[in-house]
Amino acid sequence: MTRNAEALATFGSVLVAMVTPMDPDGRVDIDAACALAERLVDDGANGLVLNGTTGESPTTHQPEKDALVRAVVDAVGDRARIVAGAGSNDTQHAVRIARSAERTGAHGLLVVSPYYNRPSQEGVYRHIRSITDSVDLPVMLYDIPGRTGVAIGDGVLDRLAEHDRVLAVKDATGNVPAGFTRMRRTGLAFYSGDDALNLAWLTHGAVGVVSVAGHVVAGACAEMVASISAGDLPRAQDLSVELAPVCEALLGTGQGAVYAKAALELLGAIPHRSVRSPLVEADETELADLADALRAAGILAA
């Protein structure tokens, strides 16, 4: 089995980087999370990333992460692949997160490079390798230097690609040509980590997407992936044009978790758009502008 085929079987092709629903007091709402997971899978997602940064992982705690993974696996784990974030800038903390994800039933891990403290490339390698070696789960690497402050360099990627359980990369570097070279060189499966570049990544060989916009357009994302697989580039291009305003509305400010929750509240998919500090929920003006954008896209009823 090729790495691409193994990654698709392990992670799926259309993953939503799922928000963590919360009540107005900031408590994690497990019932709302399960309902949202079911909605996303019904809409076309065949994978969900839990406890990633869109899921506010820096401000949720281990018992909450565990409860979320366990509940969502029970709710939709027979229909979608559940990938758990194992991100921290403390290696031992990330190892504990990974082990808990394995115990609570996750099918795979998303491992981001350590953020803020900006280790050397050797430090990045040892961090990710330590997490990978601590569990028996397959791993998708997450390269997003604009957020973490440190990239997964070519040398580190090549070394990690030698590990049997490192199968894929979620690439949010914005550098599609470099990603094309890297996927060909390493044999790793690549996923688009930037909704605005989904078409570009897919046409350059990515096997799927890890999407924030998929909270409201999972079906269209799935159709785009299927269109590329079927060789129907014109349909994929049309979908990319249709989705561009939605991606801009949700992600243009860089506040994906905030705006995804706001959109889901507008659609009645979650009860509240609450987030945890230091994030701040969308205000009424922002909510109105987002509603206008969703109506223009035909997602929200007029």
Side-chain angles (χ1 to χ4, degrees), residues 4-248:
N4 282 6
E6 193 173 359
L8 286 169
T10 301
F11 303 119
S13 59
V14 179
L15 294 86
V16 176
M18 199 177 98
V19 299
T20 302
M22 298 173 182
D23 69 19
D25 294 322
R27 291 184 293 263
V28 172
D29 188 336
I30 294 295
D31 289 342
C34 290
L36 175 59
E38 290 173 348
R39 177 190 178 108
L40 295 174
V41 174
D42 288 344
D43 286 349
N46 58 10
L48 300 173
V49 175
L50 305 180
N51 299 321
T53 46
T54 304
E56 299 177 69
S57 58
T59 54
T60 57
H61 306 294
Q62 197 61 56
E64 296 171 317
K65 297 180 197 293
D66 292 348
L68 182 65
V69 171
R70 187 180 294 109
V72 172
V73 168
D74 286 346
V76 298
D78 59 338
R79 297 194 291 145
R81 308 305 289 168
I82 307 304
V83 181
S88 175
N89 59 351
D90 173 348
T91 302
Q92 290 307 309
H93 182 211
V95 165
R96 290 194 296 272
I97 295 171
R99 288 173 173 165
S100 285
E102 184 173 44
R103 284 195 299 269
T104 50
H107 301 129
L109 295 180
L110 180 70
V111 179
V112 70
S113 52
Y115 42 83
Y116 186 77
N117 42 20
R118 301 188 70 173
S120 67
Q121 284 295 293
E122 180 63 23
V124 172
Y125 172 77
R126 292 186 188 187
H127 174 85
I128 296 173
R129 182 66 191 250
S130 294
I131 300 164
T132 302
D133 286 343
S134 71
V135 294
D136 291 325
L137 293 175
V139 168
M140 179 188 294
L141 308 176
Y142 185 13
D143 195 8
I144 183 167
R147 292 269 187 170
T148 63
V150 61
I152 300 174
D154 283 340
V156 170
L157 188 67
D158 291 352
R159 291 167 72 190
L160 291 170
E162 296 173 359
H163 199 294
D164 289 344
R165 283 184 284 102
V166 175
L167 303 182
V169 179
K170 176 187 175 184
D171 194 303
T173 65
N175 193 339
V176 179
F180 175 71
T181 300
R182 297 174 108 198
M183 70 177 76
R184 293 292 292 267
R185 187 182 71 246
T186 63
L188 293 172
F190 269 60
Y191 287 76
S192 171
D194 184 342
D195 277 306
L197 295 177
N198 284 349
L199 178 65
W201 277 113
L202 291 168
T203 55
H204 278 76
V207 300
V209 301
V210 182
S211 173
V212 175
H215 282 97
V216 297
V217 289
C221 290
E223 186 179 354
M224 183 188 294
V225 172
S227 296
I228 293 293
S229 296
D232 189 352
L233 181 58
R235 179 55 185 155
Q237 290 171 323
D238 288 345
L239 286 163
S240 184
V241 171
E242 292 170 14
L243 293 177
V246 179
C247 295
E248 177 63 24

